[in-house]
Structure formats: structure tokens, C-alpha cells
Amino acid sequence: MIRKGWLLPRLMVALLIFSAGAPHVAADEAGDDGAEPRPKIGLVLAGGGARGGAHIGVLKALEEHQVPVDYITGTSFGAIVGSFYAAGYTADELEVALALMDWENLLSDNAPRSGRSFQRKLDDEETALDFEFSVGEKGLALPQGLVRGNQLRLMLRRYLSRVAHVQNFDELPIPFRAVATDLETGGEVVMGSGDIASAVLASMAVPGLFPPVDREGHMLVDGGLVNNMPVTVAKEMGADIIILVDIGTPMAEREEITSFPKVFGQLLSILTLKNRQAQLDELTDRDILLKPDLETIRLTDFHLATSAVPEGYAAANEAGDALKALSLSDADWQDHRANRRVDFEPPTIDFITVDNSSSLPDKYVRSLIRHDKGEPLNEAQLSDDLTRIYGTGYFDRVEYRILERGAETGIHIEAKERAVGKKFVRFGLSLSDDFSGNNHYNIAASYTVLGLNSLGAEWRVRAQVGDILAANTEFYQPLNATQDYFAITSFTAASVVRGITNDRGVTVADARVTNGDLKLGVGRNISNIGRITVGLERGVARAKIHTPDFEFPAFSIHSASIYAKLETDTFDNADFPHKGSGLTIVYSDGRTFLGGESTVNKLEAGYTHTMTWGRNTLTGFVSSGMAYGGDETETDDFSLGGFLNLSGLRQDQISGKYYGLAGLAYYRRLNQGGIASLFGVPIYAGLSLEAGNTWNRSSDIEFSKLRYGGSVFLGADTPIGPLYLGSGYTTGQADAQVSAFMYLGRPF
């Protein structure tokens, strides 16, 4: 909306500003010939989640029309774009930055797996549910938000580091304000000073999703609750003309509210509806309202954020005549661009300080920071290092600031310990059904305690009930401050049923094997990608074999062995990996000391590698094992059967003293909607090819005796673990089997 007759009001505003002594005067306010100052333009960027990519399109159009921006106000995603533009980035640079943002990681509670310690990667094997319940004095405690926001905080700090020294937002290349909501009072908080990265984070801290941001004595959450389109704020800053970019989500009809993301979007629309109209009422005929066509982009469709850019560009170009009226001459535009340009050269770092509030040794935290004194600031590397610190699981947030100390420049790192404590519970669930009467289920829970001493010891207890009964306790003790070396003690008891096959590969009986194992070991961590462990193992195993016609007497075997284990894990996802690899090699040497009765040696190795192109992923896997050198019994058997383990067979249907398995699994993502861990469920279609078998004697191992099979399946990365529905086929020397299956759990 534009009113052409705005000369008199403009002169009155200019007179008021002059008489008050305006604090920020752009170089292009008046021409060299003493012409009257041009009207000040305030850009207002509304919140709207992933729809905020449209703001960048608007900025591209403003730059093409040579329209200057004198003030910026923003809420939520509008605060992100607005702060970056105020910091001196161009619209083209912002578009590139948006395309590079990995929103699934930015909006995840966990550090990317590449940044987690190996101990935290092992958590993925313990339970399938990714959510943690902290344990406090009053029992189980929920966090203040589903996502602690550390990765988002690091991203904001990295992009805004060029203006991190600016404490008064009026001193930015373009004066800027971010709007948040005071969670205690419900009032509006306009942030124009202090730490700019925390101001932006507070402006977009959606209640329940992110924890409130404690900033300058206020507990702050998303500003959209009180002022999603801060027109009044821009006018208070001195703007004569407002360009408002409204990306708010319209109210949905009843039949459209069909899922959690749509309910969530409707809730935000309701909360912002009242304050939205109040801000629209502030617009006058001379102001410009832009409403990009974003009907197909929801709040949570962050994978479509770049698709919103051209919609914003188109909306701005539709107001082309109005923008032309605000355009600068070529010379004035070049002056305006020069005045807002920030020439940022990474400073040389003279010192590094660490404020570590956790029980982890300062030396360990410092050892994870590769940045050295005397080097230019490398923010990409520093962000990776801080992600690794966060990936230890001890912290709510890990961030950095650039400090000036006299003539020296340094990095100050603040690592804030988890507010809800270092004790937490996780749950897991696994189900399988071949729709032929063979179904299995397991429910698991684990309890972990971090930081038991000054070196960062941990204790974990895990219990499982279902077809596999199991209980485990483990104590992990680092042996030095940098956690390169460790000692580990564990006790495990388990009971499982395995199929027994004869020399022709036919299943002739079932054996319930119950065992208890005590392990003592020492090891060496290989950065955060793996570890080597050696130690002693003392166990007892009891087997009870039965056929449809007869039940054999149970027997027990006591064992003692020396063991060695190598583990590596570089997968980006434990459930549906898209890149990375995993290697496991375990060797045990049976001895007769410590009451051992068996001299059986066992060697097992497995390797998996994954690669992705576009939506397509290919995973190759191979594993084998052998039990040899003594009087092997059914307690020493390896088993195969189940999805990706000869998929046509039922779970653990065949077993033997030797086994081999190799296969390929291909899957393609069918949807790109939402954020996997919060608002959407990635869905995949795939197939697998497998070859393998079990044997009781080494002389039986021949390629001609391999079983071949595969599967076709649909998979979903659900919040309670990976879900697979499909059909498997496996050939055999004596039979061939086809089965449908449903799996909830991890087959890899």
C-alpha cells in the first residue's frame, strides 16, 4: 500500500529526527547538493518457519531495484535473515548460506554422529528410542525443550562472528532489532543490544521445541507469540516507510488438519493471529506489504526453504513500481553498498580460554579443540570441535565468543553442563512378525550415569524382556585426563532360542542357550571413531535342546578366555545410514584357568559400508565367524535368519560353528517432508540381495552350499526405531522359504 502524497509527513519526521539528534545517519541520507534527506526505509521480516526463505528473495529484488534498507526488524526466521543482512551479507550470499544449512542436524537434539564420542555412539545400540528422560531428585524429568539447540546456536555464532564485537545493534551496518517473548510475564522484549547470536536464538525459540533462552535476566521464547511482524518496532527506530514481508501461515480448514505438523502450524497461526492484525493496522498508504505465495510450504518444510526464495522475489517484483519510487541512483547505491560492507578478516588467535562447568577434566575438553594459538580463526574447524565437546553428552550447550584482551584476540569457550543432571533413562522396543505364527518382541530400558569421578567415569545398566531375556551392567573408567585409555568392566546375562541345523542345512531342533559373562578389559580410544579393547572373560553357558518329539537333558559349560575387540563406527545414522562404515572384529582364546572347561577359540568379524547419491543409498555388508580348537557345543554356535540375515528365514532359524554372510541393501527415500527427528518420518523403498549359510564343520564350507535370497521392503525412520515391512526369499539345499515380515528395530 503506497500513498503518493507523503511529502509533508516526511518533512515533519525529518525535522523531528534532526532536532532529536538521530544516532544513526546513513551516508546517503542527503545528496552532495544539499537536497532534502530521503525517507528512511524499515524492512520488517515476519516469522514463519521454513517459509522464511522468501525473505531472501525479497532482498534479492530490493538489491536489483537499488532500494536501500535503513532499519531491519525481525521475528523468528525473520530475525535470522534480518540479522545476517544487517551484518553485511548480500542477498546472494544469504541464498548460498541457506542452501548449505543442514536443518535435520541444526534442529536435532543430538550432535551429528560424526561429532559424538564413541561412548555416545554405543547408546544407539542399547535402545532405539532417541529421547532421554533425565533422572532427578523427584524422579523422571523432562527437558525444557525437545531440542537443546546447540547446533543452531553454533551456526548463528559462526555467521554472525563478523559483528560479534558490536554490542549496540544501532552500530551494525544496518541497525537491527529482534523480538522475543518474556516467558514469565508474556510481554514483548525488543532486543537491540548485547550478544546478537543469543538475541536471534531467543527470537526463534519455539516453546516446547527449544528451551527458553536466559538473556539479560529474561527467560525468552519465540517472539511470534507477541509480535510476529514488528512494524511498530521499525517505526520506533525511525522508519518513514515500511516494507513488510508477511510469511505467516494462514488458518487451515478442518479437513486440512490431518497430522501433527499441521496441528502445530495451526496452533502457531492461532497464537499469532491477534498480534498480526494489530501490526497490519499500523501500516499506512505509503507502506508496502508483500505476501509471497507460499501455500505449498509449511512451517516445518525446511528442505523446501530454498524453494521459498523465488516466491519472495516474485512478490517483491509485483510491487516493482512502488520499489522504483524508492530506488537510489547508481552512484548513491554504490555508496550505500560500500557503507554497509563488512570487510572481515579472520583474526589471529593469541589465547584460548575454556569455562567448563562439567565434571569432565578441563584437559579433556581442551584436547578436543584442535585450534592452536598463533593461527587465524578457523570457524568451521572450531564449530566441529565444539560439536565434539557437545557430543560427549555432558552439556546443554557449548559455544564460543571472540574476546579482545588489550592488544590480543582470543577465543573464549563456554561449556555449560546439562541442567537436568547426568543421570538419564532411555527406552527401546523391537518387534518382528513373519505373519506365519512366528513373532518376536523385546522391550528394553537403560539407565546411564555420567561423570562419576574427575576423569569422567560412566555406569550403565540395561534390562530387556521378551524373546531375548537379557540384563547388563557396565562400568567405564577413563585412565587419563584426555580419555585416550580406559578400563571397562561388564556383566551380561542373556537367554535366547536358536535353531539347530544338520549337515544338510535342515533345521532339526531348537536350543535355548542361557549364559552369563563377566568381562574385565583395558583399551585405547581411536579418536571418536572407534576403540581397541583387550581383557579377560569368565562365563558359564547352559543349553537345553528340544525337538518336536524329544527334549534332551540340559548341560552347562564353564569358560574362561582372553579376548580382543576392535570396533569402528563412522555412520551418520544408526538406523538408515547414508554414509560411513562400521567394522567389528572379536577374538577370544579359550583357556582352562579360572575354572574354565572349554578351550574353544572364536573369531567373528563384520564390515558394513554405506554410500549415497541423491535420494539413493547403497549399503554393502559382510560378516563371518568360526568356533574352533576344542570341544565345541551348541553354546558356541552362531545363528542366521531374519531381515538382511537371509531374509526368507525366520529369526535365528539356522546355526552352526561356522557362518558367512554377504549382501547388498539398496533403498531410496520416497519423501522429503518435515524434519526426521521431530515433525516427519522419512520413508524408504528398498531391496536386498544376500548370500550365506552356517556350517558345523570347516570341511562343509563350499560356495555350492550357500543359501541365496533377498527382500523387498518399505522402511520408515520412526521416533521409536526403524520400521520395515516387506517380503523375503531364501533358497536352501533342502528347502526354499518365502516370508512376509514386519520388523521394528535395527537389523544392521
Side-chain angles (χ1 to χ4, degrees), residues 621 642-649 662-664 686-691 707-713 726-731 737-739 741:
F621 51 94
F643 181 42
L644 298 183
N645 288 281
L646 299 179
S647 297
L649 304 181
L664 292 172
L687 57 88
S688 69
L689 299 174
E690 306 145 25
R707 298 172 183 256
Y708 296 94
S711 67
V712 292
F713 60 88
S727 178
Y729 173 81
T730 298
T731 65
Q737 291 183 229
V738 179
S739 66
F741 60 79

Side-chain angles (χ1 to χ4, degrees), residues 472-599:
N472 167 268
T473 182
E474 176 185 283
F475 183 76
Y476 170 82
Q477 174 64 65
L479 297 179
N480 61 335
T482 55
Q483 296 198 0
D484 297 312
Y485 299 94
F486 63 88
I488 191 166
T489 302
S490 68
F491 176 76
T492 302
S495 180
V496 62
V497 175
R498 296 172 179 166
I500 298 176
T501 53
N502 62 20
D503 295 340
R504 295 181 292 109
V506 178
T507 303
V508 295
D510 286 329
R512 173 166 290 279
V513 179
T514 304
N515 63 282
D517 292 283
L518 174 66
K519 291 184 178 181
L520 304 173
V522 294
R524 174 77 157 87
N525 284 313
I526 309 169
S527 184
N528 70 329
I529 67 171
R531 64 175 45 162
I532 299 173
T533 310
V534 296
L536 299 175
E537 179 178 4
R538 176 68 170 88
V540 58
R542 182 176 185 272
K544 191 172 185 179
I545 303 171
H546 63 88
T547 69
D549 302 318
F550 186 76
E551 185 170 300
F552 294 87
F555 63 91
S556 299
I557 296 291
H558 291 263
S559 63
S561 60
I562 301 170
Y563 75 90
K565 186 175 185 179
L566 168 65
E567 305 166 89
T568 67
D569 180 347
T570 62
F571 291 119
D572 64 331
N573 186 297
D575 299 332
F576 288 90
H578 297 92
K579 62 180 179 180
S581 61
L583 171 67
T584 302
I585 302 174
V586 183
Y587 172 73
S588 64
D589 187 343
R591 300 298 178 99
T592 56
F593 59 75
L594 298 176
E597 301 172 338
S598 171
T599 58

Side-chain angles (χ1 to χ4, degrees), residues 134 144 148 394-396 416-422:
S134 296
Q144 291 180 314
R148 290 192 285 267
Y394 279 71
F395 302 97
D396 270 340
K416 184 177 181 181
E417 191 173 39
R418 295 164 63 117
V420 292
K422 297 170 292 184

